[in-house]
Amino acid sequence: MPELPEVETIKRGIASHLEGQIIKSVLVRETRLRWQVTDKINIILPKQTVISVKRRAKYLLFECDKGHILIHLGMSGNLQILPSNTELKKHDHVDIIFSNGQCLRYNDPRRFGCILWTEAPVFEHKLLANLGPEPLEKTFNGKYLYDRAKKRQVAIKNFIMDSKIVVGVGNIYANEALFTARISPERAAGKVSLNEYKRLADIIKKTLQVAIKMGGTTLRNFTDSAGNPGYFKQTLQIYGKGGEICSQCGTIIHTKKIGQRMTYYCPICQR
DNA sequence: AAAAGGACCTGGTGGC
DNA sequence: TGCCACCAGGTCCTTT
């Protein structure tokens, strides 16, 4: 489900509700997420205070007194803040209940997400240690992409979706950014010029920023932590528009699987 | 080291 | 209406 703007939307929605709150209990109804949810969290989390809520890539990091809770939403995960007695829905797998009566509820039909606990320095965690830069940071720019892409044969679309290169760019925003940058998704990463990379990096930043501002993209069921959809869908230029007309030149928008993911592009505008 | 493909899941949709 | 194939916002892991 969520790419960076959606995770950021969730983070902004929940942070102020949780920071400073004391965990009262944890209810794990389903441990079979991407990785087993350890029953250790039932023991260790109660009485801890949530000090801060942060995001790194598409991971949400809940800093507690003794360590971090690390949550990824996978393809279909969502988090909501609810009164702890709220009636359960299907796939409500985990509740973190707070002493003020609120509950952070994790729902995930496909169970590709994860909920982990770590007491080590969180950025040294295996899942975070080898991630590329955040796309909205200054270290992510055209020169950086150009340098990393040298001699690489991989398609540019897969390259910008590679979390070792840059985090947070999923299938929707990769399609959108390449269309706006007028670069063919199939071109080898090593054959993109420095100027094109500068344009692309700026467009990735801009696209993500606008999407965050609009509360993310709701395709079927993404909602923020209060249950509201995102409105970036109305802004999509190319994603999901196979067979429709390119807004720039009127050509039929093509589709093709690249790296097992559906790709939408205009064969005239994108070279 | 880089590239490609499989794996993990449920639910919705469209075709017959 | 029912059944089936295929598709979906991610990304780790194994194999080549």
Side-chain angles (χ1 to χ4, degrees):
Chain A
M1 175 202 298
E3 299 189 30
L4 186 145
E6 291 73 43
V7 179
E8 180 66 21
T9 298
I10 301 259
K11 191 209 91 176
R12 292 182 182 187
I14 64 179
S16 65
H17 291 275
L18 300 187
E19 286 169 354
Q21 296 297 325
I22 298 164
I23 297 170
K24 185 174 150 199
S25 58
V26 179
L27 248 173
V28 181
R29 298 180 199 85
E30 174 59 82
T31 62
R32 296 172 304 164
L33 303 187
R34 171 140 201 192
W35 291 287
Q36 184 90 12
V37 181
T38 170
D39 48 14
K40 194 181 169 189
I41 63 172
N42 296 305
I43 312 293
I44 196 136
L45 286 181
K47 300 200 173 120
Q48 289 199 55
T49 299
V50 174
I51 297 162
S52 71
V53 180
K54 300 195 183 92
R55 179 188 59 73
R56 170 70 174 117
K58 295 171 192 166
Y59 293 91
L60 289 166
L61 315 176
F62 299 78
E63 181 193 1
C64 301
D65 298 320
K66 296 178 189 167
H68 285 81
I69 308 166
L70 211 146
I71 298 183
H72 196 290
L73 301 171
M75 289 275 258
S76 58
N78 204 359
L79 286 168
Q80 287 198 268
I81 303 279
L82 299 164
S84 56
N85 58 2
T86 303
E87 198 171 331
L88 287 174
K89 294 196 193 123
K90 205 171 181 184
H91 310 299
D92 281 341
H93 301 316
V94 176
D95 283 355
I96 298 176
I97 298 157
F98 293 85
S99 57
N100 67 354
Q102 288 187 124
C103 162
L104 180 70
R105 183 164 286 175
Y106 178 87
N107 179 287
D108 187 1
R110 292 176 73 178
R111 293 192 274 115
F112 284 175
C114 64
I115 300 179
L116 302 169
W117 168 254
T118 176
E119 296 178 13
V122 70
F123 294 114
E124 292 172 24
H125 191 281
K126 187 184 172 191
L127 293 170
L128 304 185
N130 297 313
L131 294 175
E134 288 286 326
L136 300 179
E137 299 285 316
K138 282 184 186 150
T139 52
F140 174 72
N141 54 45
K143 178 72 163 55
Y144 164 81
L145 280 178
Y146 179 74
D147 288 343
R148 291 294 304 263
K150 275 177 187 155
K151 297 185 184 167
R152 299 239 354 217
Q153 293 299 305
V154 68
I156 180 70
K157 177 163 180 266
N158 295 342
F159 182 69
I160 60 172
M161 289 178 71
D162 179 347
S163 65
K164 292 189 291 301
I165 301 301
V166 59
V167 302
V169 181
N171 200 32
I172 295 177
Y173 300 109
N175 277 289
E176 291 297 310
L178 287 168
F179 174 74
T180 308
R182 305 175 68 87
I183 298 168
S184 165
E186 293 188 277
R187 180 132 54 106
K191 298 255 165 98
V192 176
S193 72
L194 176 58
N195 271 340
E196 286 174 314
Y197 271 125
K198 287 180 175 171
R199 180 148 44 97
L200 180 58
D202 288 346
I203 287 166
I204 288 172
K205 287 172 193 279
K206 185 75 185 165
T207 307
L208 294 173
Q209 281 163 346
V210 171
I212 290 169
K213 202 168 277 183
M214 301 185 83
T217 302
T218 296
L219 292 185
R220 57 190 62 174
N221 54 18
F222 170 77
T223 65
D224 67 15
S225 60
N228 306 306
Y231 295 98
F232 190 75
K233 181 173 190 224
Q234 300 159 17
T235 311
L236 295 177
Q237 297 290 305
I238 197 99
Y239 180 86
K241 297 194 184 291
E244 294 181 36
I245 299 298
C246 169
S247 60
Q248 302 302 303
C249 73
T251 303
I252 300 278
I253 293 170
H254 287 214
T255 62
K256 179 174 187 177
K257 278 217 165 176
I258 299 178
Q260 295 150 294
R261 309 302 297 279
M262 190 53 84
T263 303
Y264 304 87
Y265 64 101
C266 172
I268 302 300
C269 293
Q270 295 174 257
R271 299 300 178 132

